[in-house]
Amino acid sequence: MNTGTLCAYVPDGILVNAFEFHQNCALVVDPSGRIIDVCGVDELDPAIAQQSYAGQLFTAAPILAHAHLESFDAPRDKFSRDSFAQWVESLLEWRQSTERLSPEESAAESRRQLAENGCGLVATHVSEPGAEGDVSPDLPEVFAFSELFVPQGELPDLPDFPYRGVALHAPYSVSDELARQVFEKYATDNIVSIHLGEHDEERQFLENGTGELAELFLRRGLNIKDIYYASPIDWLDAVGGLTPSTLAVHCGNLRADELLRLENAGVSIVFCPGTHKYFDRPQPAFAKVGSLLPALGCDSLASNKRLDPLYELRCAKEIIPEISSQMWWQALTIRGAEVLRRPDLGSLAQGKWGRVLSFETSEFGSASSAEQVCDILCSKEGLSRKLITLNSTGD
């Protein structure tokens, strides 16, 4: 179908969102690629061109709200991970290798794997020049944050802002003054992403400057805190980051009361289930805060077995089965769009871009409801899938 014509796409099923599933329906897409209607096939205007996708089931393309694209060839299975500090040392040692892929090459391979596995949008922390890859129109779309690792000192010049967002690496790896400057300068109208509440070593570092992570910093001649904090949330509050502009990544080490503080302040959370599983961490407390639904991320191949939104979905359901399959699908789609402030994505409802993940209907058996479809998405491995941009020259 050529761009510029109104078109109705007719698959076997359309999962508009986690709670709305239609059969014998069509997605009507305008010349710009926006969905203008979801309606029964028998309701279509005969003048609208139809394109059959028999044997296919459509969902919205998944969104991963956190990643690092620069570690595609990292030997993760050889990294020490008895402690987070040991893993960091292994990662830093590998990064000094002259045989590793360049950040640009790694990002290109990471993006290719994400596209093959059906990711429509990925948000990435860029810690090395070129690690965002080629920001081109091809999917997945890349939302790039310039990541700051500045244990001492003030805010450096960020000439790319607001072309890309700003990320703080973590509470232990940026000075308090720098964190205050970032939140004061960028948090009013933009997103600030930060790794937060990931492990006990972070908590020990902030509480009293002890633990393996603090020892690693001292060995490398890096500053630890002049002021101690009772928790990562107290640190975030003290530097001005307890706001709706903050995107807190991981958070698996936070207690329910700490998560509730984030939720009440409007801070968004991104959970990376594959990385949580890689480190064999205890179950997060997300399900204990009824109103909380994290978005999902994939971190990097330095701490994950694959870059695949459906793998993250399955891991999330495995780690926290108390949250329903339907809510986890919301986390991978609508919630991801919300935390990245992309109201044009996340579902196949009217007004959204026609960015679709297409599956083979046969792999869903007799599923005829949104609940059944989401249960399969959250449990079945090896689902074949393909990214499609509706009403484009490539669909």
Side-chain angles (χ1 to χ4, degrees), residues 247-268:
L247 194 60
V249 179
H250 296 304
C251 299
N253 186 252
L254 298 180
R255 303 185 305 266
D257 63 299
E258 295 171 326
L259 291 169
L260 186 59
R261 282 185 69 187
L262 293 182
E263 179 74 358
N264 289 340
V267 174
S268 298

Side-chain angles (χ1 to χ4, degrees), residues 51-67:
Q51 188 160 337
S52 173
Y53 274 79
Q56 299 292 299
L57 186 151
F58 282 4
T59 73
I63 295 169
L64 291 171
H66 179 74

Side-chain angles (χ1 to χ4, degrees), residues 252-253 271-284 303 319:
N253 186 252
F271 178 44
C272 298
T275 290
H276 195 91
K277 189 172 181 178
Y278 170 84
F279 286 109
D280 193 25
R281 290 172 173 152
Q283 186 189 55
S303 62
I319 294 168

Side-chain angles (χ1 to χ4, degrees), residues 324-343:
S324 72
S325 296
Q326 287 174 284
M327 293 307 296
W328 279 128
W329 182 252
Q330 289 285 82
L332 188 61
T333 51
I334 286 178
R335 187 62 185 142
E338 288 174 345
V339 305
L340 296 178
R341 300 183 180 179
R342 289 297 302 271

Side-chain angles (χ1 to χ4, degrees), residues 1 5-8 28 43-50:
M1 175 62 60
T5 59
L6 197 66
C7 184
V28 182
E43 300 172 21
L44 284 171
D45 184 334
I48 298 176
Q50 293 187 31

Side-chain angles (χ1 to χ4, degrees), residues 82-137:
D82 290 337
S83 71
F84 184 73
Q86 289 180 18
W87 176 83
V88 169
E89 285 198 286
S90 296
L91 177 63
L92 292 175
E93 181 179 346
W94 169 74
R95 280 194 171 185
Q96 300 305 311
S97 170
T98 58
E99 298 180 357
R100 57 170 287 212
L101 292 176
S102 71
E104 294 87 351
E105 292 168 330
S106 179
E109 289 299 310
S110 295
R111 197 173 176 201
R112 176 191 56 77
Q113 188 173 105
L114 284 166
E116 289 178 351
N117 288 322
C119 180
L121 171 65
V122 60
T124 179
H125 282 205
V126 181
S127 60
E128 297 178 290
E132 73 277 21
D134 176 19
V135 183
S136 68

Side-chain angles (χ1 to χ4, degrees), residues 188-384:
T188 301
D189 300 312
N190 300 281
I191 305 166
V192 177
S193 182
I194 181 171
H195 304 104
L196 186 83
E198 185 178 358
H199 43 74
D200 275 332
E201 290 165 72
E202 173 186 339
R203 194 180 288 274
Q204 294 165 8
F205 188 107
L206 294 174
E207 284 181 347
N208 48 35
T210 61
E212 290 192 47
L213 190 59
E215 292 169 5
L216 173 62
F217 268 59
L218 292 172
R219 287 199 302 274
R220 291 181 167 266
L222 300 174
N223 281 8
I224 57 176
K225 298 295 181 184
D226 295 324
I227 302 172
Y228 295 140
Y229 301 91
S231 78
I233 312 306
D234 286 346
W235 175 88
L236 190 65
D237 191 11
V239 298
L242 204 57
T243 75
S245 292
T246 299
L247 194 60
V249 179
H250 296 304
C251 299
N253 186 252
L254 298 180
R255 303 185 305 266
D257 63 299
E258 295 171 326
L259 291 169
L260 186 59
R261 282 185 69 187
L262 293 182
E263 179 74 358
N264 289 340
V267 174
S268 298
I269 292 173
V270 183
F271 178 44
C272 298
T275 290
H276 195 91
K277 189 172 181 178
Y278 170 84
F279 286 109
D280 193 25
R281 290 172 173 152
Q283 186 189 55
F286 302 143
K288 296 180 181 178
V289 181
S291 58
L292 189 155
L293 180 67
L296 295 182
C298 63
D299 223 21
S300 81
L301 286 179
S303 62
N304 205 343
K305 65 184 290 186
R306 59 198 296 183
L307 301 177
D308 181 347
L310 294 190
Y311 174 68
E312 301 303 329
L313 184 72
R314 294 197 306 275
C315 286
K317 181 63 176 175
E318 175 187 336
I319 294 168
I320 313 178
E322 295 89 343
I323 296 178
S324 72
S325 296
Q326 287 174 284
M327 293 307 296
W328 279 128
W329 182 252
Q330 289 285 82
L332 188 61
T333 51
I334 286 178
R335 187 62 185 142
E338 288 174 345
V339 305
L340 296 178
R341 300 183 180 179
R342 289 297 302 271
D344 55 329
L345 298 173
S347 79
L348 298 181
Q350 184 178 15
K352 309 289 186 179
W353 291 114
R355 192 176 290 181
V356 163
L357 189 58
S358 180
F359 296 90
E360 293 183 10
T361 310
S362 59
E363 296 181 323
F364 288 79
S366 59
S368 59
S369 70
E371 181 180 9
Q372 292 170 336
V373 170
C374 289
D375 282 342
I376 292 170
L377 289 168
C378 283
S379 61
K380 191 170 184 178
E381 294 188 40
L383 290 170
S384 59

